[in-house]
């Protein structure tokens, strides 16, 4: 990340020019903090009553995120948060829980992954071609069976029903980080809402004005743009409507989210990773017992399904993993929620495309775009962070020069 050193004062910012950020998720908060750190006047407009976007955490007693979430400590978002003292209390995967990792292979629960999966995890992302499908490339490395297992394992970071059909480079970059040892994943204590609260508090301390329940439509967006640059940090679907720009499209995943609270039983799995099909189930109270009442444990999982599949298909696969890793789970269930996440689980890149081909941060007329389907690199939430950082720096330049930046992220 060549941009990490550019968050200080630029010396060019016109503090009479207002920078508006539309959306209070990770992308919007990152953009607001970055702009405010450089001396700009910033207002953040969030349509909901609470901040966080998909990084929201449900109120108790079950502190579930919107799908399985984790921070990855080798990524740029972690470094940025750490420099500002915003990481806060986080927990790694408990060492003993690693012994309770299960893999579904040929319908049975196994304690170890296929050797082919471990071999493929050692391949650097640069060895995987952009133009080939992952399954085709990986099969040439470790055989078709191992390649399919790796593709399904990688779905943890893709939320896509057919990871093997995506760009080999794109999937391998994510697969390698997911399979790293020791694991990169870190979990904010109290759920992601605690991280959002720290970011919001830091933003307010920098002078950012945060307005919740403040919906922005096309008309009010035009009014905001007359006072300075605007960063639209919303889902791509929302941005397409708000900016009336039909070109704002990119493929995403479609996945069934399953959350359960079970009465605690010794011997339950920590994670069940489905290598027969894309799917992942994790016991989050293993890291943070406070996410559920005493005597209960919180599970969260995601099960990608095709564009025409019904939600029930994901539910059936979720229950198959529960049967393998959590015997007697039906009688022990204290709470259960399901949802279908469609087109809101981040960008996926087909063969022949990279993040540079996604919708550009620069939209013209002082409008900049941020979010998890925007032209920016990273794993999972890192895309929102990276695009929010880039959008803020380009907005600062536009404000300081009183003109468009002329910079396109696709060229950086």
């Amino acid at each position: 990340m060549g941009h990490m050193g550019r968050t200080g004062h630029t010396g060019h910012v016109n503090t009479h020019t207002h920078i508006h950020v539309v959306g209070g998720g990770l992308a919007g908060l990152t953009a607001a903090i970055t702009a405010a750190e450089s001396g700009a006047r910033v207002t953040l407009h969030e349509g909901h009553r609470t901040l966080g976007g998909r990084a929201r955490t449900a109120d108790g007693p079950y502190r579930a995120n919107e799908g399985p979430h984790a921070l990855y400590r080798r990524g740029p978002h972690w470094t940025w948060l750490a420099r500002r003292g915003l990481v806060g209390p986080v927990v790694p995967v408990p060492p003993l829980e690693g012994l309770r990792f299960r893999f579904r292979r040929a319908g049975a629960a196994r304690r170890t992954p296929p050797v082919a999966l471990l071999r493929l995890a050692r391949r650097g992302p640069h060895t995987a071609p952009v133009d080939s499908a992952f399954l085709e490339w990986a099969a040439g490395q470790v055989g078709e069976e191992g390649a399919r297992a790796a593709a399904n394992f990688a779905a943890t970071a893709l939320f896509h029903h057919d990871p093997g059909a995506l760009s080999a480079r794109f999937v391998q970059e994510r697969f390698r980080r997911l399979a790293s040892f020791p694991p990169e994943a870190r979990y904010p204590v109290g759920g992601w809402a605690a991280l959002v609260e720290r970011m919001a508090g830091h933003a307010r301390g920098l002078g950012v004005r945060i307005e919740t329940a403040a919906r922005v439509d096309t008309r009010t967006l035009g009014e905001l743009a007359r006072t300075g640059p605007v960063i639209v940090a919303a889902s791509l679907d929302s941005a397409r409507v708000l900016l009336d720009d039909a070109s704002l499209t990119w493929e995403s995943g479609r996945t069934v989210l399953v959350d359960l609270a079970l009465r605690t039983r010794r011997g339950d799995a920590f994670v069940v990773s489905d290598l027969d099909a894309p799917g992942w189930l994790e016991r989050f109270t293993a890291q943070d017992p406070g996410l559920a009442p005493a005597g209960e444990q919180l599970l969260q999982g995601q099960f990608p399904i095709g564009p025409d599949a019904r939600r029930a298909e994901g539910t059936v696969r979720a229950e198959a993993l529960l049967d393998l890793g959590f015997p007697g789970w039906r009688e022990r269930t204290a709470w259960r929620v399901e949802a279908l996440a469609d087109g809101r689980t981040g960008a996926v890149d087909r063969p022949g495309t990279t993040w540079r081909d996604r919708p550009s941060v620069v939209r013209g007329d002082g409008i900049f775009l941020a979010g998890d389907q925007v032209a920016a690199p990273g794993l999972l939430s890192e895309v929102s962070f990276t695009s929010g950082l880039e959008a803020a720096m380009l907005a600062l330049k536009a404000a300081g020069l009183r003109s468009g930046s002329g910079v396109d992220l696709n060229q950086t």
Side-chain angles (χ1 to χ4, degrees), residues 21-46:
V21 179
V22 180
L26 292 180
L29 286 166
T30 299
I33 289 170
T34 302
E37 285 178 340
S38 295
R41 288 197 303 139
V42 182
T43 299
L44 186 149
H45 309 261
E46 167 54 51

PDB file of all heavy atoms in Angstrom, residues 21-46:
ATOM      1  N   VAL A  21     -19.448  12.640   3.173  1.00  0.00           N
ATOM      2  CA  VAL A  21     -19.346  11.187   3.018  1.00  0.00           C
ATOM      3  C   VAL A  21     -20.740  10.609   3.207  1.00  0.00           C
ATOM      4  O   VAL A  21     -21.379  10.840   4.239  1.00  0.00           O
ATOM      5  CB  VAL A  21     -18.373  10.575   4.045  1.00  0.00           C
ATOM      6  CG1 VAL A  21     -18.308   9.059   3.862  1.00  0.00           C
ATOM      7  CG2 VAL A  21     -16.986  11.193   3.917  1.00  0.00           C
ATOM      8  N   VAL A  22     -21.213   9.877   2.208  1.00  0.00           N
ATOM      9  CA  VAL A  22     -22.539   9.275   2.262  1.00  0.00           C
ATOM     10  C   VAL A  22     -22.374   7.787   2.561  1.00  0.00           C
ATOM     11  O   VAL A  22     -21.897   7.026   1.718  1.00  0.00           O
ATOM     12  CB  VAL A  22     -23.295   9.483   0.937  1.00  0.00           C
ATOM     13  CG1 VAL A  22     -24.686   8.840   1.010  1.00  0.00           C
ATOM     14  CG2 VAL A  22     -23.413  10.972   0.616  1.00  0.00           C
ATOM     15  N   GLY A  23     -22.717   7.391   3.770  1.00  0.00           N
ATOM     16  CA  GLY A  23     -22.576   5.997   4.181  1.00  0.00           C
ATOM     17  C   GLY A  23     -21.631   5.867   5.355  1.00  0.00           C
ATOM     18  O   GLY A  23     -20.494   6.336   5.301  1.00  0.00           O
ATOM     19  N   GLY A  24     -22.096   5.206   6.417  1.00  0.00           N
ATOM     20  CA  GLY A  24     -21.308   5.095   7.645  1.00  0.00           C
ATOM     21  C   GLY A  24     -20.828   3.700   7.946  1.00  0.00           C
ATOM     22  O   GLY A  24     -20.732   3.306   9.114  1.00  0.00           O
ATOM     23  N   GLY A  25     -20.497   2.920   6.898  1.00  0.00           N
ATOM     24  CA  GLY A  25     -19.852   1.626   7.107  1.00  0.00           C
ATOM     25  C   GLY A  25     -18.349   1.799   7.201  1.00  0.00           C
ATOM     26  O   GLY A  25     -17.840   2.908   7.407  1.00  0.00           O
ATOM     27  N   LEU A  26     -17.621   0.711   7.029  1.00  0.00           N
ATOM     28  CA  LEU A  26     -16.167   0.784   7.145  1.00  0.00           C
ATOM     29  C   LEU A  26     -15.568   1.719   6.102  1.00  0.00           C
ATOM     30  O   LEU A  26     -14.646   2.480   6.398  1.00  0.00           O
ATOM     31  CB  LEU A  26     -15.556  -0.609   7.020  1.00  0.00           C
ATOM     32  CG  LEU A  26     -15.844  -1.589   8.157  1.00  0.00           C
ATOM     33  CD1 LEU A  26     -15.167  -2.912   7.878  1.00  0.00           C
ATOM     34  CD2 LEU A  26     -15.365  -1.026   9.491  1.00  0.00           C
ATOM     35  N   ALA A  27     -16.072   1.670   4.875  1.00  0.00           N
ATOM     36  CA  ALA A  27     -15.540   2.541   3.823  1.00  0.00           C
ATOM     37  C   ALA A  27     -15.783   4.003   4.165  1.00  0.00           C
ATOM     38  O   ALA A  27     -14.890   4.850   4.045  1.00  0.00           O
ATOM     39  CB  ALA A  27     -16.162   2.194   2.472  1.00  0.00           C
ATOM     40  N   GLY A  28     -17.002   4.337   4.594  1.00  0.00           N
ATOM     41  CA  GLY A  28     -17.334   5.716   4.913  1.00  0.00           C
ATOM     42  C   GLY A  28     -16.566   6.251   6.102  1.00  0.00           C
ATOM     43  O   GLY A  28     -16.083   7.391   6.091  1.00  0.00           O
ATOM     44  N   LEU A  29     -16.432   5.436   7.155  1.00  0.00           N
ATOM     45  CA  LEU A  29     -15.691   5.877   8.335  1.00  0.00           C
ATOM     46  C   LEU A  29     -14.206   6.063   8.017  1.00  0.00           C
ATOM     47  O   LEU A  29     -13.580   7.027   8.471  1.00  0.00           O
ATOM     48  CB  LEU A  29     -15.869   4.870   9.466  1.00  0.00           C
ATOM     49  CG  LEU A  29     -17.247   4.889  10.149  1.00  0.00           C
ATOM     50  CD1 LEU A  29     -17.440   3.643  11.008  1.00  0.00           C
ATOM     51  CD2 LEU A  29     -17.416   6.155  10.990  1.00  0.00           C
ATOM     52  N   THR A  30     -13.641   5.151   7.211  1.00  0.00           N
ATOM     53  CA  THR A  30     -12.241   5.298   6.804  1.00  0.00           C
ATOM     54  C   THR A  30     -12.052   6.582   6.017  1.00  0.00           C
ATOM     55  O   THR A  30     -11.092   7.333   6.236  1.00  0.00           O
ATOM     56  CB  THR A  30     -11.802   4.091   5.955  1.00  0.00           C
ATOM     57  OG1 THR A  30     -11.930   2.897   6.737  1.00  0.00           O
ATOM     58  CG2 THR A  30     -10.364   4.233   5.498  1.00  0.00           C
ATOM     59  N   ALA A  31     -12.960   6.845   5.079  1.00  0.00           N
ATOM     60  CA  ALA A  31     -12.863   8.057   4.259  1.00  0.00           C
ATOM     61  C   ALA A  31     -12.994   9.309   5.116  1.00  0.00           C
ATOM     62  O   ALA A  31     -12.227  10.272   4.953  1.00  0.00           O
ATOM     63  CB  ALA A  31     -13.942   8.037   3.179  1.00  0.00           C
ATOM     64  N   ALA A  32     -13.941   9.307   6.045  1.00  0.00           N
ATOM     65  CA  ALA A  32     -14.167  10.488   6.888  1.00  0.00           C
ATOM     66  C   ALA A  32     -12.954  10.768   7.766  1.00  0.00           C
ATOM     67  O   ALA A  32     -12.519  11.918   7.916  1.00  0.00           O
ATOM     68  CB  ALA A  32     -15.410  10.279   7.746  1.00  0.00           C
ATOM     69  N   ILE A  33     -12.391   9.726   8.373  1.00  0.00           N
ATOM     70  CA  ILE A  33     -11.214   9.903   9.227  1.00  0.00           C
ATOM     71  C   ILE A  33     -10.037  10.418   8.412  1.00  0.00           C
ATOM     72  O   ILE A  33      -9.335  11.353   8.821  1.00  0.00           O
ATOM     73  CB  ILE A  33     -10.867   8.575   9.927  1.00  0.00           C
ATOM     74  CG1 ILE A  33     -11.924   8.241  10.998  1.00  0.00           C
ATOM     75  CG2 ILE A  33      -9.469   8.638  10.564  1.00  0.00           C
ATOM     76  CD1 ILE A  33     -11.808   6.840  11.568  1.00  0.00           C
ATOM     77  N   THR A  34      -9.797   9.830   7.242  1.00  0.00           N
ATOM     78  CA  THR A  34      -8.666  10.237   6.402  1.00  0.00           C
ATOM     79  C   THR A  34      -8.785  11.689   5.985  1.00  0.00           C
ATOM     80  O   THR A  34      -7.807  12.447   6.034  1.00  0.00           O
ATOM     81  CB  THR A  34      -8.592   9.331   5.160  1.00  0.00           C
ATOM     82  OG1 THR A  34      -8.455   7.968   5.581  1.00  0.00           O
ATOM     83  CG2 THR A  34      -7.411   9.695   4.280  1.00  0.00           C
ATOM     84  N   ALA A  35      -9.974  12.100   5.576  1.00  0.00           N
ATOM     85  CA  ALA A  35     -10.175  13.497   5.158  1.00  0.00           C
ATOM     86  C   ALA A  35     -10.008  14.446   6.333  1.00  0.00           C
ATOM     87  O   ALA A  35      -9.373  15.505   6.216  1.00  0.00           O
ATOM     88  CB  ALA A  35     -11.548  13.655   4.525  1.00  0.00           C
ATOM     89  N   ALA A  36     -10.560  14.084   7.498  1.00  0.00           N
ATOM     90  CA  ALA A  36     -10.479  14.961   8.664  1.00  0.00           C
ATOM     91  C   ALA A  36      -9.051  15.084   9.178  1.00  0.00           C
ATOM     92  O   ALA A  36      -8.636  16.150   9.650  1.00  0.00           O
ATOM     93  CB  ALA A  36     -11.393  14.449   9.765  1.00  0.00           C
ATOM     94  N   GLU A  37      -8.280  14.007   9.085  1.00  0.00           N
ATOM     95  CA  GLU A  37      -6.886  14.059   9.522  1.00  0.00           C
ATOM     96  C   GLU A  37      -6.073  15.058   8.701  1.00  0.00           C
ATOM     97  O   GLU A  37      -5.049  15.558   9.170  1.00  0.00           O
ATOM     98  CB  GLU A  37      -6.243  12.673   9.409  1.00  0.00           C
ATOM     99  CG  GLU A  37      -6.674  11.712  10.499  1.00  0.00           C
ATOM    100  CD  GLU A  37      -6.073  10.325  10.340  1.00  0.00           C
ATOM    101  OE1 GLU A  37      -5.641   9.984   9.221  1.00  0.00           O
ATOM    102  OE2 GLU A  37      -6.045   9.587  11.340  1.00  0.00           O
ATOM    103  N   SER A  38      -6.523  15.353   7.509  1.00  0.00           N
ATOM    104  CA  SER A  38      -5.822  16.302   6.654  1.00  0.00           C
ATOM    105  C   SER A  38      -6.380  17.713   6.758  1.00  0.00           C
ATOM    106  O   SER A  38      -6.027  18.579   5.966  1.00  0.00           O
ATOM    107  CB  SER A  38      -5.882  15.821   5.195  1.00  0.00           C
ATOM    108  OG  SER A  38      -5.166  14.616   5.054  1.00  0.00           O
ATOM    109  N   GLY A  39      -7.265  17.936   7.705  1.00  0.00           N
ATOM    110  CA  GLY A  39      -7.738  19.278   7.985  1.00  0.00           C
ATOM    111  C   GLY A  39      -9.031  19.675   7.317  1.00  0.00           C
ATOM    112  O   GLY A  39      -9.474  20.817   7.452  1.00  0.00           O
ATOM    113  N   ALA A  40      -9.653  18.787   6.572  1.00  0.00           N
ATOM    114  CA  ALA A  40     -10.898  19.130   5.883  1.00  0.00           C
ATOM    115  C   ALA A  40     -12.073  19.145   6.859  1.00  0.00           C
ATOM    116  O   ALA A  40     -12.061  18.454   7.878  1.00  0.00           O
ATOM    117  CB  ALA A  40     -11.169  18.134   4.763  1.00  0.00           C
ATOM    118  N   ARG A  41     -13.094  19.944   6.523  1.00  0.00           N
ATOM    119  CA  ARG A  41     -14.369  19.862   7.232  1.00  0.00           C
ATOM    120  C   ARG A  41     -15.136  18.689   6.631  1.00  0.00           C
ATOM    121  O   ARG A  41     -15.302  18.612   5.415  1.00  0.00           O
ATOM    122  CB  ARG A  41     -15.180  21.144   7.066  1.00  0.00           C
ATOM    123  CG  ARG A  41     -14.621  22.334   7.835  1.00  0.00           C
ATOM    124  CD  ARG A  41     -15.678  23.423   7.974  1.00  0.00           C
ATOM    125  NE  ARG A  41     -16.189  23.852   6.677  1.00  0.00           N
ATOM    126  CZ  ARG A  41     -17.462  24.113   6.418  1.00  0.00           C
ATOM    127  NH1 ARG A  41     -18.379  23.935   7.360  1.00  0.00           N
ATOM    128  NH2 ARG A  41     -17.839  24.533   5.229  1.00  0.00           N
ATOM    129  N   VAL A  42     -15.608  17.797   7.484  1.00  0.00           N
ATOM    130  CA  VAL A  42     -16.224  16.565   6.993  1.00  0.00           C
ATOM    131  C   VAL A  42     -17.562  16.334   7.692  1.00  0.00           C
ATOM    132  O   VAL A  42     -17.666  16.466   8.913  1.00  0.00           O
ATOM    133  CB  VAL A  42     -15.312  15.348   7.252  1.00  0.00           C
ATOM    134  CG1 VAL A  42     -15.954  14.077   6.695  1.00  0.00           C
ATOM    135  CG2 VAL A  42     -13.934  15.556   6.639  1.00  0.00           C
ATOM    136  N   THR A  43     -18.568  15.985   6.909  1.00  0.00           N
ATOM    137  CA  THR A  43     -19.833  15.510   7.450  1.00  0.00           C
ATOM    138  C   THR A  43     -20.114  14.126   6.886  1.00  0.00           C
ATOM    139  O   THR A  43     -19.994  13.911   5.680  1.00  0.00           O
ATOM    140  CB  THR A  43     -21.003  16.451   7.092  1.00  0.00           C
ATOM    141  OG1 THR A  43     -20.755  17.747   7.641  1.00  0.00           O
ATOM    142  CG2 THR A  43     -22.316  15.922   7.665  1.00  0.00           C
ATOM    143  N   LEU A  44     -20.465  13.205   7.755  1.00  0.00           N
ATOM    144  CA  LEU A  44     -20.814  11.848   7.345  1.00  0.00           C
ATOM    145  C   LEU A  44     -22.324  11.677   7.495  1.00  0.00           C
ATOM    146  O   LEU A  44     -22.886  11.957   8.553  1.00  0.00           O
ATOM    147  CB  LEU A  44     -20.066  10.827   8.196  1.00  0.00           C
ATOM    148  CG  LEU A  44     -20.219   9.355   7.811  1.00  0.00           C
ATOM    149  CD1 LEU A  44     -18.958   8.571   8.161  1.00  0.00           C
ATOM    150  CD2 LEU A  44     -21.416   8.713   8.511  1.00  0.00           C
ATOM    151  N   HIS A  45     -22.980  11.233   6.432  1.00  0.00           N
ATOM    152  CA  HIS A  45     -24.428  11.053   6.404  1.00  0.00           C
ATOM    153  C   HIS A  45     -24.738   9.558   6.347  1.00  0.00           C
ATOM    154  O   HIS A  45     -24.377   8.881   5.387  1.00  0.00           O
ATOM    155  CB  HIS A  45     -25.028  11.735   5.171  1.00  0.00           C
ATOM    156  CG  HIS A  45     -24.598  13.154   4.986  1.00  0.00           C
ATOM    157  ND1 HIS A  45     -25.386  14.223   5.375  1.00  0.00           N
ATOM    158  CD2 HIS A  45     -23.466  13.691   4.450  1.00  0.00           C
ATOM    159  CE1 HIS A  45     -24.755  15.356   5.078  1.00  0.00           C
ATOM    160  NE2 HIS A  45     -23.579  15.054   4.524  1.00  0.00           N
ATOM    161  N   GLU A  46     -25.409   9.040   7.359  1.00  0.00           N
ATOM    162  CA  GLU A  46     -25.774   7.617   7.404  1.00  0.00           C
ATOM    163  C   GLU A  46     -27.293   7.495   7.448  1.00  0.00           C
ATOM    164  O   GLU A  46     -27.956   8.091   8.296  1.00  0.00           O
ATOM    165  CB  GLU A  46     -25.156   6.952   8.641  1.00  0.00           C
ATOM    166  CG  GLU A  46     -25.691   5.567   8.980  1.00  0.00           C
ATOM    167  CD  GLU A  46     -25.603   4.581   7.821  1.00  0.00           C
ATOM    168  OE1 GLU A  46     -24.507   4.436   7.229  1.00  0.00           O
ATOM    169  OE2 GLU A  46     -26.636   3.952   7.511  1.00  0.00           O
TER     170      GLU A  46
END
